[in-house]
Amino acid sequence: MLSLIKPMSEAGLRQFVIRALDRGYVREGFHSEVERAERNISDDDIRYGLSQKTWTLEGFPQPSKTGGFKYLIRTVDVEQEELHLLVKPDTETGNLKILTKY
């Protein structure tokens, strides 16, 4: 029997993000860190945005080509400018990967 993996609930994602922040398990992927470096969004901006209790999910979780799901989070950066983060939680390692930022 094939079991279908379901996306995290918003509450589950919030708990995952808090744990990843507390443990220092937030990592930028190549696209976010290298290919989008010109966007001038710092690690501090990312961590600040994710630490805000007011962040919201945009749309629905999308399946990732590498397994699991990716989620678009809308929040603000250190300067209170709008910040979007496409994230992918890795439930096996506890890492939260930032796929892209804008």
Side-chain angles (χ1 to χ4, degrees):
M1 177 184 244
L2 181 66
S3 66
L4 297 175
I5 298 172
K6 294 182 181 181
M8 287 182 187
S9 65
E10 183 174 336
L13 181 60
R14 286 183 182 280
Q15 289 176 343
F16 190 96
V17 168
I18 290 168
R19 269 194 311 276
L21 284 169
D22 287 347
R23 295 178 179 168
Y25 288 1
V26 177
R27 307 279 185 265
E28 282 192 79
F30 182 79
H31 180 74
S32 177
E33 185 173 21
V34 177
E35 294 179 335
R36 295 296 177 242
E38 80 280 357
R39 291 183 173 163
N40 295 321
I41 298 170
S42 70
D43 272 351
D44 287 341
D45 288 325
I46 291 170
R47 292 179 199 299
Y48 179 85
L50 290 173
S51 70
Q52 300 305 297
K53 293 180 185 198
T54 55
W55 63 254
T56 58
L57 279 178
E58 289 288 305
F60 297 101
Q62 298 298 313
S64 171
K65 293 178 185 175
T66 58
F69 288 86
K70 48 191 177 179
Y71 305 80
L72 184 59
I73 292 175
R74 188 170 106 191
T75 186
V76 294
D77 66 12
V78 174
E79 297 170 344
Q80 301 304 301
E81 296 292 326
E82 190 169 278
L83 176 62
H84 291 86
L85 301 169
L86 185 63
V87 302
K88 181 181 175 207
D90 184 334
T91 55
E92 290 183 21
T93 65
N95 285 329
L96 181 67
K97 185 174 183 181
I98 309 301
L99 301 174
T100 196
K101 57 193 177 188
Y102 56 95

